[in-house]
Amino acid sequence: MDFSFTKKEEEYRRTLRIWLEENLPEGWIEGKRDLPENEEEQAQFLRDWQKKMNDGGWVAIAWPEKYGGQSASVIEEIIYHQEMVRAGAPHLINYIGIHMVGPTLMDIGTEEQREKFIPKILNAEEVWCQGYSEPNAGSDLSALKTSAVKQGDKWIINGQKVWTSYGHLADRCFLLARTSNLEKKHKGITVFLVDMKQPGVEVRPIIQMNGKHDFNEVYFNDAVAYDEEIVGEIDEGWKVMINLMLHERTGIGAQIFTLEKQFSDLVLLTNELKENGQPLIKDPFTRQKMVELYTRCRGVLLTYYRNITTSMKRGYPGAESSMDKLMSSELTKDLFEFAVSIQGHQGVLWKEDALANPFWQLDYLSSFGVTIGGGTSEVQRNTIGERLLGLPKDLR
Ligand SMILES: Cc1cc2nc3c(=O)[nH]c(=O)nc-3n(C[C@H](O)[C@H](O)[C@H](O)COP(=O)(O)OP(=O)(O)OC[C@H]3O[C@@H](n4cnc5c(N)ncnc54)[C@H](O)[C@@H]3O)c2cc1C
């Protein structure tokens, strides 16, 4: 494996770096990176930022040029993630639209759907959410009960979704609904592109334990969708869902570049915190733990590179992305747990009372969710066991 970048690739990095320096929001480069506290102002700030990124051609670089991308190579994507993390750039609000819905519409959607939705995904005019999980259908999605029944030229949707990230901001939902009970559980499910701003859709916030509001319960009470808003075949939504999830897990794998930055921040924290007048990094236990975390960070990165190489050779992403998802999310949790634990009893203080940057406490609480969203660690282990190691199937 060759880890060095070519001249052309380094030039690509330089172009993006210069663009970011010239276009990041005011004060960002100098380190003033606070997003507006007010939910609506924050959403508008992030929509404006994504629009600016799109005007520069930097939103969905891997997409074909025909659809507003750069047809970027996998290596260019890696460089892109590295540079975005290095600059601490604000995140793209339409994560689900860019990483999941857009690629799925390109693979399976109709040309009309691509023309209608893709430009608005890119410029954040329409933010998307993903309506998969229900109270009794998370890991076992095929148990979903939300129904869509055809009445005249409309589909009438009833049911409840839960943990819907971005639901409170979303204009559209990529929704799975049951359209038939006659066949096996995996059959009889259809994917709809549902308008979230219609009267039959009610969004109720779920506030997380760190006080943030990232996801919601969503209720559909006689909400309406039309034939042209169906992706793929009626009753064959399972295939569409699998396609989208492959894109989702590949996107999550790129979390590794954020992990590298978090490890560097942890090094700074261990220098900042003192014990008996000495920086904590001089303490043998801390050093040993830091080496362990660093080794795991490198392991995750190299595994990610190896998996990407396999995907490039094969031409599409496979079950390896479960390794990236599992390893990076578990490591994120352990890294934040350590960052909080080295603050001793003051680790329980947060917000304005925190000893160090309260980011550590806030994100420690979020890190549990990272091991659940997009498929739990247990489910990833099953995928790795069955599909990569060839172990017998789990009892179901
Ligand atoms: C941060 C976050 C964001 C999310 N965003 C979205 C979103 O935008 N849209 C959306 O639709 N959903 C979203 N989800 C929901 C997420 O996809 C589900 O929480 C997840 O699939 C697990 O489902 P569940 O919560 O119903 O748990 P369950 O499936 O009930 O699992 C409970 C426990 O049993 C274990 N388990 C279940 N089945 C097996 C098995 N076969 N083998 C071994 N162990 C098993 C699980 O690992 C878990 O520990 C999000 C969740 C989080 C935490």
Side-chain angles (χ1 to χ4, degrees), residues 96 130-135 137-140 162-165 215 369-370 372-379 382 394 396:
I96 290 177
Q130 181 194 30
Y132 280 18
S133 306
E134 298 185 8
S139 305
D140 179 15
V162 72
W163 315 124
T164 317
S165 304
F215 43 48
V370 181
I372 299 170
T376 66
S377 289
E378 291 76 17
V379 167
N382 278 351
D394 182 30
R396 292 201 170 94

Side-chain angles (χ1 to χ4, degrees), residues 39-58:
E39 206 167 73
E40 273 172 32
E41 285 173 26
Q42 186 180 116
Q44 193 52 51
F45 176 95
L46 291 171
R47 278 184 194 250
D48 292 346
W49 168 241
Q50 189 181 314
K51 173 150 189 344
K52 198 173 194 185
M53 289 276 291
N54 187 43
D55 291 344
W58 292 111

Side-chain angles (χ1 to χ4, degrees), residues 141-142 176 186 189 235-243:
L141 258 183
S142 63
L176 293 188
H186 291 76
I189 291 172
D235 292 345
E236 298 289 341
W238 196 253
K239 292 181 201 154
V240 184
M241 183 278 290
I242 298 279
N243 182 289

Side-chain angles (χ1 to χ4, degrees), residues 287-301:
R287 294 169 78 82
Q288 196 179 335
K289 188 72 192 175
M290 291 296 280
V291 169
E292 181 206 313
L293 290 172
Y294 177 74
T295 313
R296 283 176 66 192
C297 275
R298 289 300 294 175
V300 176
L301 179 72

Side-chain angles (χ1 to χ4, degrees), residues 13-40:
R13 182 191 299 284
R14 216 176 71 84
T15 310
L16 173 57
R17 202 173 278 190
I18 292 171
W19 189 90
L20 284 171
E21 277 164 17
E22 288 172 356
N23 290 282
L24 275 166
E26 216 183 307
W28 215 262
I29 299 249
E30 295 79 45
K32 285 189 227 101
R33 292 179 184 161
D34 295 330
L35 293 171
E37 290 245 332
N38 174 286
E39 206 167 73
E40 273 172 32

